[in-house]
Amino acid sequence: MRPILLQGHERSLTQIKFNNEGDLLFSCSKDHIINVWFSHNGERLGTYDGHNGTVWTIDVDSQSKYLISGSADNTLRLWSVSTGKCLFTWEFPTAVKRVHFSDDDEQVVCITEQRMGHQGAIRVFKINRDGDGTNQSPDPLHMFHPIGSKATVCAFSYTPNIIITGHESGKVALFDVSTGNEILNNERAHMDVVTDMQLSVDASYFITSSKDKTARLHDTKTLKVLKTFPTETPLNSAALSPTRPYVLLGGGQEAMQVTTTSLRQGKFETRFWHKVFEEEVGRVKGHFGPINTIAVHPAGTCYASGGEDGFVRVHHFDDTYYRAKPYGDLEIDD
């Protein structure tokens, strides 16, 4: 697999996202810029300029009409995907660490950081899709402060008004956004910070990665841990292949400690694990630093990884990937 190298950022990547069709890839980094690329050839389509702090997080709606971004400049911004214009800006007392669109594109959830005497908060905004998108309500539809360990990642579940959160202590929880109540939690989901969370296609289960060197599959309804994928390096991101029984994990030692170890020991590879058998099936090398974020094409034809080195690498899978029999001689009908 010869990767397509995307050079559009000067600092380390924070998140990458494919749109629903998979023809566009969005990337954001610590250099304040959001880029959008054509995923099939790596050509840069444009940039979204306006933030003046690290852009921590992005998400794109299912119609590729709006992009939402959260940044260390304490703002949440709504962009027009096609024109690159910033349509609306919400301002907060602290940085926005995670954003996520609901399935119907009507709502956006965001996590703001606990800093300087301000509590960490989870807010849900209703997105007005009428007109040109500039007429948005500045006030959140729902807002609450999770008690205890601060939330690091969040996503809407398949049940209306229920969001899934991952926390600094390693717990995962379900919250009812209309009341702010914690409905269910698994305190021991991980032993350290939850660094990433990605849902399956039907949102019935999700994967989390953590600094405790494991990634785990959880049942969305019960939060039960279904599978565990242990590695020997802190993980920053985990993604699910939509068409094959694989999970992709990325991480690596902290940048500070990397100088003392060789590349091989830094463990900067994307690891492929079998989702069912919990066995590692392959690794893809390439980055010169920890992998911060991984995304898989919605059709499962390629994946992209963003690293501490400022590069995004897009790998289109070879024929051998499709010919491999992940369940042995068993034929699974799609």
Side-chain angles (χ1 to χ4, degrees):
M1 290 194 303
R2 295 232 15 217
I4 303 171
L5 214 58
L6 312 186
Q7 293 174 273
H9 293 289
E10 290 169 2
R11 297 190 57 197
S12 53
L13 272 290
T14 48
Q15 199 174 13
I16 51 179
K17 267 279 164 77
F18 282 98
N19 66 342
N20 232 20
E21 291 74 40
D23 58 335
L24 300 178
L25 177 67
F26 296 87
S27 62
C28 62
S29 91
K30 292 183 177 174
D31 62 5
H32 313 181
I33 290 172
I34 305 165
N35 284 323
V36 56
W37 317 78
F38 285 119
S39 61
H40 67 287
N41 63 1
E43 185 187 331
R44 179 153 67 168
L45 181 60
T47 60
Y48 301 87
D49 291 326
H51 280 296
N52 44 21
T54 296
V55 184
W56 287 117
T57 172
I58 45 174
D59 198 16
V60 59
D61 69 5
S62 63
Q63 298 160 27
S64 305
K65 182 180 178 185
Y66 293 139
L67 177 76
I68 194 99
S69 62
S71 164
D73 63 8
N74 304 354
T75 63
L76 174 73
R77 291 176 191 243
L78 185 72
W79 309 81
S80 162
V81 169
S82 54
T83 65
K85 281 224 305 263
C86 180
L87 304 173
F88 198 84
T89 304
W90 291 269
E91 294 193 4
F92 308 112
T94 57
V96 181
K97 295 294 281 196
R98 194 73 169 198
V99 294
H100 190 249
F101 266 108
S102 61
D103 279 350
D104 59 5
D105 301 334
E106 297 285 323
Q107 294 179 351
V108 163
V109 61
C110 75
I111 290 180
T112 52
E113 236 191 343
Q114 185 176 325
R115 271 278 162 86
M116 303 174 298
H118 294 284
Q119 279 182 296
I122 294 179
R123 295 173 174 83
V124 175
F125 290 93
K126 185 157 177 56
I127 301 297
N128 176 13
R129 302 186 69 85
D130 301 332
D132 59 1
T134 53
N135 185 21
Q136 304 292 340
S137 164
D139 302 316
L141 198 59
H142 307 294
M143 173 181 164
F144 62 94
H145 303 283
I147 296 160
S149 172
K150 72 180 186 190
T152 51
V153 291
C154 64
F156 281 101
S157 74
Y158 55 81
T159 320
N161 283 340
I162 304 290
I163 60 161
I164 314 162
T165 56
H167 296 256
E168 213 167 46
S169 65
K171 86 166 176 182
V172 294
L174 293 179
F175 281 94
D176 183 329
V177 290
S178 46
T179 61
N181 293 338
E182 191 177 292
I183 304 167
L184 191 64
N185 71 37
N186 180 353
E187 291 280 356
R188 316 301 297 155
H190 283 286
M191 298 303 170
D192 206 338
V193 186
V194 179
T195 50
D196 193 16
M197 172 194 292
Q198 297 194 26
L199 288 106
S200 64
V201 178
D202 61 359
S204 62
Y205 61 94
F206 62 94
I207 191 163
T208 54
S209 62
S210 167
K211 293 274 183 222
D212 69 2
K213 305 184 181 180
T214 64
R216 292 196 159 142
L217 278 185
H218 311 261
D219 183 271
T220 307
K221 202 170 173 188
T222 62
L223 297 186
K224 203 170 134 221
V225 175
L226 305 172
K227 299 282 176 186
T228 301
F229 311 103
T231 66
E232 65 283 4
T233 178
L235 294 176
N236 297 328
S237 191
L240 294 157
S241 169
T243 53
R244 298 261 150 178
Y246 299 129
V247 296
L248 285 72
L249 311 179
Q253 281 177 311
E254 290 291 330
M256 296 186 311
Q257 298 156 355
V258 168
T259 49
T260 58
T261 56
S262 71
L263 222 102
R264 176 79 197 153
Q265 284 175 303
K267 320 256 185 318
F268 310 134
E269 299 132 323
T270 302
R271 297 138 187 273
F272 284 73
W273 282 69
H274 198 291
K275 187 166 70 182
V276 183
F277 302 141
E278 299 176 86
E279 291 169 357
E280 189 171 345
V281 292
R283 294 188 183 189
V284 177
K285 288 211 274 284
H287 282 286
F288 291 101
I291 294 170
N292 292 339
T293 172
I294 293 181
V296 182
H297 191 288
T301 54
C302 70
Y303 83 92
S305 56
E308 190 74 28
D309 53 8
F311 292 111
V312 179
R313 299 171 78 91
V314 181
H315 293 263
H316 288 271
F317 292 124
D318 294 339
D319 285 347
T320 49
Y321 174 81
Y322 301 108
R323 287 205 304 273
K325 293 186 169 178
Y327 297 108
D329 289 332
L330 195 68
E331 287 298 327
I332 303 282
D333 292 330
D334 287 335

